[in-house]
Amino acid sequence: MAVENRQAEASLDTLHRIFTVPEAPDSTLGRIEKEISENLNAFLQTHIAAQEKPLTEIEKDFSCASVPEQPSFVSEHTHFLLEKLVAQSVHTSAPTFIGHMTSALPYFLMPLSKIMIGLNQNLVKIETSKAFTPLERQVLGILHNLIYGERDAFYQRWMHSAEHSLGAFCSGGTIANITALWVARNNLLKPEGDFKGVAQEGLFRAMKHYGYDDLAVLVSERGHYSLKKAADVLGIGRDCLIAIKTDENNKICTEDLQNTIESLKARNIKPFAIVGVAGTTETGNIDPLDELADIALAHNCHFHVDAAWGGATLMSNKYRPLLKGIERADSVTIDAHKQLYIPMGAGMVIFKNPASMAAIEHHAEYILRKGSKDLGSHTLEGSRNGMAMLVFASLNIISRQGYELLINNSIEKARYFAELIKSDPEFELISAPELCLLTYRYVPEDTQKALAIANDEDKQAIHEALNDLTQYIQKRQRESGKSFVSRTRLMPEQWDRRITTVFRVVLANPLTTPDILSDVLKEQKQLALTSQQSLPKINAITARILSQANLSH
Amino acid sequence: MAVENRQAEASLDTLHRIFTVPEAPDSTLGRIEKEISENLNAFLQTHIAAQEKPLTEIEKDFSCASVPEQPSFVSEHTHFLLEKLVAQSVHTSAPTFIGHMTSALPYFLMPLSKIMIGLNQNLVKIETSKAFTPLERQVLGILHNLIYGERDAFYQRWMHSAEHSLGAFCSGGTIANITALWVARNNLLKPEGDFKGVAQEGLFRAMKHYGYDDLAVLVSERGHYSLKKAADVLGIGRDCLIAIKTDENNKICTEDLQNTIESLKARNIKPFAIVGVAGTTETGNIDPLDELADIALAHNCHFHVDAAWGGATLMSNKYRPLLKGIERADSVTIDAHKQLYIPMGAGMVIFKNPASMAAIEHHAEYILRKGSKDLGSHTLEGSRNGMAMLVFASLNIISRQGYELLINNSIEKARYFAELIKSDPEFELISAPELCLLTYRYVPEDTQKALAIANDEDKQAIHEALNDLTQYIQKRQRESGKSFVSRTRLMPEQWDRRITTVFRVVLANPLTTPDILSDVLKEQKQLALTSQQSLPKINAITARILSQANLSH
């Protein structure tokens, strides 16, 4: 028994060491850290395997569900992580990884992240975050200012007010969108007479009290899927998120919107929120926000703008006018981990009116006491880390001017790429870039000619084969590991709203060069030729159509 | 114009540098990083100011709401952060900071965090996370195993199944609890006949379809405030989160629970979820989970266990029996950023049945396609970072045995502290530690005697003054910066459920020593004597009661 105790104590000593003794600089982990600090990109290029391994293979390395019973040495486990995890992760910061809203990040964020993690503040309350609380409130204030540009006095009055909130910092755009619609729902179904409000009494009683048959949220068919999730979680129902048709530029048809609102009202369904999209996820287009603001005003709807991705464009004096009308929104979602170049996990929702969030305010005895300035009383999340510090630092170090350069550069690079695609006879631009996002597909030159004269049946057959081909090329390109574009399915006006699979490219990474863009197209052409099924099929139909056309001449 | 362009290009070059050139080791930020790497604790002790500065003072440094127009040098801004932010942050990892669920963290997590942030994966989909996806699924599997201990075949079958999910990784316990109740709500109000389910049609139609007058979630009055938030956001209503009385040990009274369920049912209100608390936030007690499982089974309720804080106790073979019955829960919340010693931002909800989460499944075109293994189809959040890696590494490096030592040590330290308090005639233990959390207050020895014989009115007066005194001591102690205990308000059985302000101590930091605990009490006694209002008042009433008692003898 005495022996056992001695052993236990010895192990407790070992454990104390991991809490008190840092990794030695020449330890495995110490060396890796140095590598990362000195040249992240080289580290990633060296350690991430170039060739794609099938997921089912990777899963074998992560298949044991037992709680590890015996400790591992840090160095040993680090080797495992390097060989099995890092090697099979995705080089999201590579300039050739242009398929999603990821990018290289400013270097200074790495050591700053370390400070953030070392401090390990919990922003839910002042007692565990202190100066981080006013810092986060300031970040929300700065973003509020970017959107709404109120006078200084406004911010002096509200930014640090215990009873008010200019917004909420959260893990990402989804939580931001949910928060916005939660506030909108609670403000609509607010306390009235004997009714204590939806927050207190729930949605069923609220609907009975107010006498609506249903609620509705309206957004274009290009709206982000998180809005459906919001409609589900908030008890509104996914069916009550009404998708409004978009025009040939992927922007909401405001006439359709108005007609829908009228018809909903006639059926005693309450449209309580209109969501404008400022940078659709799939095509990067911006809804006519000013018009949406007018409609929201006319129908007394909460006007939310989902600018998770496009919101950073407000930093650019040159392109800011694209978002005109956003300053009339009741709430706006912006993700700092997208075009503000912050690591994953930095979303925000900003409210025009500092009193809006009172509709979701909550308190507890041991924290978030009434009258406290604890941030946790206005957030959907509870405990949160100090990510706001990284946004704060980037805003100061990069500044508006710097962000403007980055954003203008991205948009102009996308325009350049669009020209490249248009000038290449074997590609078809499907959606032109309004911001730095565009979609296109590979279509052999002859097939483009054939499509122009094909009958409906042939058109459909070619389209379906092209969809397969696009998917084939995209997968092969991803697997070969040199570059990555994503794919999605659109219903473009120019193709009679046929379902069309397209390559999707986001050009937010400042390190992506024109050469990379040329290479991406070159590789896609080469990959197309390796297709054993779709391309021969496309060529066969093309040949038939063109020869019939020649015959008829 | 040419000049302007050259200037713009030059700035773009500067911006490229921040994306490509790391901070030099001898730069300000480089030196800080080195300091942090070599001795985090020394860094924090040097840089966090010992004396508390009033929040209103701190706010002055974070008061400008303008978007910074001109860039700052990294070194310059780093100085600002050190002087104004770090200096006024909270040393949450200090062994003397025993007021909240924070702790020192294992050192190896610092460089690992750097890898995580450098890789910047987005776990929402495989395309931006690759091996991180199976890794996260494995972490969820290991936690599932820890709770439910299914056979290997179970995990081989479900852990990596595209159509199933053993849980969800999220930013914290609040999102975890919301997710659990979201799943429970959607499974209750599921599709049936023509009704397409609450997810699709919303709560109002669901209630009409199923014919309930209301829903109810039941939890003890010690339940975490996040449950109220969940009831609000899910449209159930805060009033429908029914708080059940607790016994003298802060555990739910199961008889009251059963009576409440019966009476709800009689009123056509559907109790659909029972939440057991495994480690209440304020007192650290664990509900009788086995009994709750029986009741949930009998009434066909979803049984959720909120083990955000206490769940880690399952790692201890010695104390695991305290949570007996958790293996019968339909879902369990565990926060890795609490007693699994992970930095802020690592929550999990685990579901017993791999099919449960289908009730909240969602898909989108460009990601989360049906049949994919993308984690984002089963999470409330969208984009998420790779925190699961830190949990994975800690599970392997510390192992179950290591965690057992840490957890046993914490619980035994709390018992030691409880004895220290009980043996000191000037303190009163209010709630004894079941896990490593306890509450107590300062009560002068004579006052304890007086309270034993006081009439109701005097008792009340002393209590109120003691509440003020506890609050006074807690605030002064926090401000003086040597140590920190938190405070809350309880209604202890032994004081006829009078509202009682108490000190609250959580002993999860392995570096907290017995000496520190003695010093905390010593400082509190000294601070009590500096009270100008409460203590004199208490002493006066005490003296009067005791002298009256003496007279009557």
Side-chain angles (χ1 to χ4, degrees), chain B residues 72-105:
Chain B
S72 299
F73 288 111
V74 173
S75 56
E76 208 171 274
H77 188 65
T78 303
H79 279 297
F80 175 87
L81 291 177
L82 270 192
E83 280 161 34
K84 303 299 187 184
L85 182 69
V86 175
Q88 298 303 327
S89 64
V90 179
H91 195 162
T92 57
S93 61
T96 52
F97 190 90
I98 53 175
H100 286 300
M101 292 160 172
T102 62
S103 166
L105 300 181

Short mmCIF file of all heavy atoms in Angstrom, two decimals, chain B residues 72-105:
data_model
loop_
_atom_site.label_atom_id
_atom_site.label_comp_id
_atom_site.label_asym_id
_atom_site.label_seq_id
_atom_site.Cartn_x
_atom_site.Cartn_y
_atom_site.Cartn_z
N SER B 72 -0.51 50.37 -37.79
CA SER B 72 0.44 50.49 -36.67
C SER B 72 1.54 49.47 -36.88
O SER B 72 1.32 48.42 -37.48
CB SER B 72 -0.24 50.15 -35.35
OG SER B 72 -1.28 51.01 -35.09
N PHE B 73 2.71 49.75 -36.34
CA PHE B 73 3.76 48.74 -36.34
C PHE B 73 3.39 47.64 -35.36
O PHE B 73 2.81 47.90 -34.30
CB PHE B 73 5.10 49.37 -35.95
CG PHE B 73 5.65 50.26 -37.02
CD1 PHE B 73 5.73 51.63 -36.85
CD2 PHE B 73 6.08 49.70 -38.23
CE1 PHE B 73 6.23 52.45 -37.85
CE2 PHE B 73 6.58 50.52 -39.24
CZ PHE B 73 6.65 51.89 -39.05
N VAL B 74 3.76 46.42 -35.71
CA VAL B 74 3.46 45.29 -34.84
C VAL B 74 4.04 45.52 -33.45
O VAL B 74 3.37 45.32 -32.43
CB VAL B 74 3.99 43.97 -35.45
CG1 VAL B 74 3.83 42.83 -34.46
CG2 VAL B 74 3.28 43.65 -36.75
N SER B 75 5.30 45.99 -33.40
CA SER B 75 5.96 46.15 -32.10
C SER B 75 5.25 47.19 -31.26
O SER B 75 5.03 47.01 -30.06
CB SER B 75 7.42 46.56 -32.32
OG SER B 75 7.44 47.74 -33.10
N GLU B 76 4.87 48.28 -31.91
CA GLU B 76 4.17 49.36 -31.21
C GLU B 76 2.84 48.84 -30.62
O GLU B 76 2.53 49.05 -29.45
CB GLU B 76 3.87 50.42 -32.25
CG GLU B 76 3.76 51.83 -31.77
CD GLU B 76 3.69 52.73 -33.01
OE1 GLU B 76 4.76 53.11 -33.55
OE2 GLU B 76 2.56 53.00 -33.45
N HIS B 77 2.10 48.17 -31.48
CA HIS B 77 0.80 47.66 -31.02
C HIS B 77 0.98 46.61 -29.93
O HIS B 77 0.18 46.53 -28.99
CB HIS B 77 0.00 47.10 -32.18
CG HIS B 77 -1.40 46.75 -31.79
ND1 HIS B 77 -2.32 47.70 -31.40
CD2 HIS B 77 -2.03 45.56 -31.67
CE1 HIS B 77 -3.45 47.11 -31.07
NE2 HIS B 77 -3.30 45.81 -31.23
N THR B 78 2.04 45.84 -30.04
CA THR B 78 2.31 44.82 -29.02
C THR B 78 2.52 45.49 -27.66
O THR B 78 2.03 44.99 -26.63
CB THR B 78 3.54 43.98 -29.41
OG1 THR B 78 3.30 43.41 -30.70
CG2 THR B 78 3.77 42.87 -28.41
N HIS B 79 3.23 46.60 -27.66
CA HIS B 79 3.42 47.34 -26.41
C HIS B 79 2.08 47.76 -25.82
O HIS B 79 1.83 47.63 -24.63
CB HIS B 79 4.31 48.57 -26.63
CG HIS B 79 5.76 48.23 -26.65
ND1 HIS B 79 6.41 47.71 -25.56
CD2 HIS B 79 6.69 48.30 -27.64
CE1 HIS B 79 7.67 47.49 -25.86
NE2 HIS B 79 7.88 47.83 -27.12
N PHE B 80 1.23 48.26 -26.69
CA PHE B 80 -0.10 48.66 -26.22
C PHE B 80 -0.81 47.46 -25.59
O PHE B 80 -1.36 47.55 -24.49
CB PHE B 80 -0.93 49.22 -27.39
CG PHE B 80 -2.35 49.54 -26.99
CD1 PHE B 80 -2.68 50.77 -26.44
CD2 PHE B 80 -3.35 48.58 -27.11
CE1 PHE B 80 -3.98 51.06 -26.05
CE2 PHE B 80 -4.66 48.85 -26.71
CZ PHE B 80 -4.97 50.10 -26.18
N LEU B 81 -0.79 46.34 -26.29
CA LEU B 81 -1.48 45.15 -25.77
C LEU B 81 -0.92 44.72 -24.42
O LEU B 81 -1.67 44.36 -23.51
CB LEU B 81 -1.38 43.99 -26.77
CG LEU B 81 -2.17 44.14 -28.08
CD1 LEU B 81 -1.91 42.95 -29.00
CD2 LEU B 81 -3.68 44.27 -27.82
N LEU B 82 0.40 44.79 -24.30
CA LEU B 82 1.02 44.38 -23.04
C LEU B 82 0.62 45.29 -21.90
O LEU B 82 0.27 44.83 -20.81
CB LEU B 82 2.54 44.43 -23.17
CG LEU B 82 3.24 43.18 -23.65
CD1 LEU B 82 4.74 43.32 -23.44
CD2 LEU B 82 2.75 41.94 -22.90
N GLU B 83 0.65 46.60 -22.18
CA GLU B 83 0.44 47.57 -21.11
C GLU B 83 -1.02 47.75 -20.75
O GLU B 83 -1.36 47.99 -19.60
CB GLU B 83 1.04 48.93 -21.52
CG GLU B 83 2.53 48.98 -21.31
CD GLU B 83 3.18 50.09 -22.12
OE1 GLU B 83 2.54 51.15 -22.29
OE2 GLU B 83 4.31 49.89 -22.61
N LYS B 84 -1.87 47.66 -21.77
CA LYS B 84 -3.26 48.00 -21.52
C LYS B 84 -4.17 46.77 -21.44
O LYS B 84 -5.20 46.82 -20.77
CB LYS B 84 -3.78 48.92 -22.64
CG LYS B 84 -2.98 50.19 -22.81
CD LYS B 84 -2.99 51.05 -21.56
CE LYS B 84 -2.32 52.40 -21.80
NZ LYS B 84 -2.24 53.19 -20.57
N LEU B 85 -3.80 45.72 -22.13
CA LEU B 85 -4.68 44.55 -22.14
C LEU B 85 -4.16 43.45 -21.21
O LEU B 85 -4.81 43.09 -20.23
CB LEU B 85 -4.83 44.01 -23.56
CG LEU B 85 -5.77 42.80 -23.69
CD1 LEU B 85 -7.20 43.20 -23.43
CD2 LEU B 85 -5.64 42.14 -25.06
N VAL B 86 -2.95 42.96 -21.52
CA VAL B 86 -2.40 41.87 -20.70
C VAL B 86 -2.30 42.31 -19.24
O VAL B 86 -2.70 41.58 -18.33
CB VAL B 86 -1.03 41.43 -21.24
CG1 VAL B 86 -0.41 40.38 -20.34
CG2 VAL B 86 -1.17 40.88 -22.67
N ALA B 87 -1.82 43.53 -19.02
CA ALA B 87 -1.64 44.02 -17.64
C ALA B 87 -2.96 44.02 -16.89
O ALA B 87 -3.01 43.82 -15.67
CB ALA B 87 -1.04 45.42 -17.66
N GLN B 88 -4.05 44.24 -17.59
CA GLN B 88 -5.36 44.32 -16.94
C GLN B 88 -6.22 43.09 -17.24
O GLN B 88 -7.44 43.15 -17.19
CB GLN B 88 -6.09 45.59 -17.35
CG GLN B 88 -5.37 46.86 -16.94
CD GLN B 88 -5.13 46.94 -15.45
OE1 GLN B 88 -5.94 46.45 -14.66
NE2 GLN B 88 -4.01 47.53 -15.04
N SER B 89 -5.57 41.98 -17.55
CA SER B 89 -6.34 40.75 -17.73
C SER B 89 -6.33 39.98 -16.42
O SER B 89 -5.80 40.46 -15.41
CB SER B 89 -5.75 39.93 -18.87
OG SER B 89 -4.45 39.50 -18.53
N VAL B 90 -6.93 38.82 -16.42
CA VAL B 90 -7.06 38.06 -15.18
C VAL B 90 -6.13 36.85 -15.23
O VAL B 90 -6.09 36.14 -16.24
CB VAL B 90 -8.52 37.59 -15.00
CG1 VAL B 90 -8.67 36.79 -13.72
CG2 VAL B 90 -9.46 38.80 -14.98
N HIS B 91 -5.38 36.66 -14.18
CA HIS B 91 -4.45 35.53 -14.15
C HIS B 91 -5.22 34.25 -13.80
O HIS B 91 -5.10 33.72 -12.69
CB HIS B 91 -3.35 35.82 -13.12
CG HIS B 91 -2.17 34.91 -13.24
ND1 HIS B 91 -0.96 35.18 -12.70
CD2 HIS B 91 -2.02 33.71 -13.86
CE1 HIS B 91 -0.11 34.21 -12.95
NE2 HIS B 91 -0.73 33.31 -13.65
N THR B 92 -5.98 33.79 -14.77
CA THR B 92 -6.90 32.66 -14.50
C THR B 92 -6.16 31.37 -14.17
O THR B 92 -6.74 30.47 -13.59
CB THR B 92 -7.80 32.39 -15.72
OG1 THR B 92 -6.97 32.13 -16.86
CG2 THR B 92 -8.71 33.56 -16.03
N SER B 93 -4.90 31.29 -14.57
CA SER B 93 -4.17 30.04 -14.32
C SER B 93 -3.39 30.08 -13.01
O SER B 93 -2.72 29.11 -12.65
CB SER B 93 -3.22 29.75 -15.48
OG SER B 93 -2.28 30.79 -15.61
N ALA B 94 -3.47 31.19 -12.28
CA ALA B 94 -2.74 31.29 -11.02
C ALA B 94 -3.31 30.29 -10.01
O ALA B 94 -4.51 30.12 -9.92
CB ALA B 94 -2.86 32.71 -10.46
N PRO B 95 -2.43 29.65 -9.25
CA PRO B 95 -2.90 28.68 -8.24
C PRO B 95 -3.75 29.34 -7.15
O PRO B 95 -4.46 28.66 -6.42
CB PRO B 95 -1.62 28.11 -7.64
CG PRO B 95 -0.48 28.66 -8.42
CD PRO B 95 -0.97 29.73 -9.33
N THR B 96 -3.67 30.66 -7.07
CA THR B 96 -4.46 31.39 -6.07
C THR B 96 -5.80 31.85 -6.64
O THR B 96 -6.61 32.42 -5.92
CB THR B 96 -3.70 32.65 -5.63
OG1 THR B 96 -3.32 33.38 -6.81
CG2 THR B 96 -2.46 32.30 -4.84
N PHE B 97 -6.02 31.62 -7.92
CA PHE B 97 -7.28 32.01 -8.55
C PHE B 97 -8.22 30.80 -8.47
O PHE B 97 -8.29 29.98 -9.38
CB PHE B 97 -7.02 32.42 -10.01
CG PHE B 97 -8.20 33.07 -10.68
CD1 PHE B 97 -8.38 34.45 -10.63
CD2 PHE B 97 -9.15 32.31 -11.35
CE1 PHE B 97 -9.47 35.05 -11.25
CE2 PHE B 97 -10.25 32.90 -11.97
CZ PHE B 97 -10.40 34.28 -11.92
N ILE B 98 -8.91 30.69 -7.34
CA ILE B 98 -9.68 29.46 -7.11
C ILE B 98 -11.18 29.74 -7.10
O ILE B 98 -11.96 29.00 -6.52
CB ILE B 98 -9.24 28.77 -5.79
CG1 ILE B 98 -9.30 29.78 -4.63
CG2 ILE B 98 -7.82 28.21 -5.94
CD1 ILE B 98 -9.00 29.16 -3.28
N GLY B 99 -11.58 30.82 -7.77
CA GLY B 99 -12.99 31.20 -7.74
C GLY B 99 -13.80 30.64 -8.89
O GLY B 99 -15.03 30.60 -8.81
N HIS B 100 -13.16 30.27 -9.96
CA HIS B 100 -13.92 29.77 -11.10
C HIS B 100 -13.29 28.49 -11.65
O HIS B 100 -12.26 28.05 -11.16
CB HIS B 100 -14.04 30.85 -12.19
CG HIS B 100 -15.00 31.94 -11.82
ND1 HIS B 100 -16.33 31.70 -11.56
CD2 HIS B 100 -14.82 33.27 -11.65
CE1 HIS B 100 -16.93 32.85 -11.27
NE2 HIS B 100 -16.04 33.82 -11.29
N MET B 101 -13.93 27.95 -12.68
CA MET B 101 -13.49 26.66 -13.18
C MET B 101 -12.31 26.79 -14.15
O MET B 101 -12.30 26.21 -15.22
CB MET B 101 -14.66 25.95 -13.86
CG MET B 101 -15.72 25.56 -12.85
SD MET B 101 -17.32 25.25 -13.57
CE MET B 101 -18.20 24.59 -12.14
N THR B 102 -11.33 27.58 -13.74
CA THR B 102 -10.15 27.75 -14.58
C THR B 102 -8.98 27.09 -13.88
O THR B 102 -9.06 26.76 -12.70
CB THR B 102 -9.83 29.24 -14.77
OG1 THR B 102 -9.54 29.79 -13.48
CG2 THR B 102 -11.00 29.98 -15.38
N SER B 103 -7.89 26.91 -14.59
CA SER B 103 -6.73 26.24 -14.02
C SER B 103 -5.50 26.56 -14.84
O SER B 103 -5.59 27.08 -15.95
CB SER B 103 -6.96 24.73 -14.04
OG SER B 103 -5.76 24.03 -13.78
N ALA B 104 -4.34 26.22 -14.29
CA ALA B 104 -3.15 26.17 -15.14
C ALA B 104 -3.40 25.09 -16.18
O ALA B 104 -4.18 24.16 -15.95
CB ALA B 104 -1.93 25.82 -14.29
N LEU B 105 -2.74 25.21 -17.32
CA LEU B 105 -2.91 24.22 -18.39
C LEU B 105 -1.58 23.53 -18.65
O LEU B 105 -0.53 24.11 -18.43
CB LEU B 105 -3.40 24.90 -19.67
CG LEU B 105 -4.74 25.64 -19.59
CD1 LEU B 105 -5.09 26.24 -20.94
CD2 LEU B 105 -5.85 24.72 -19.13
#
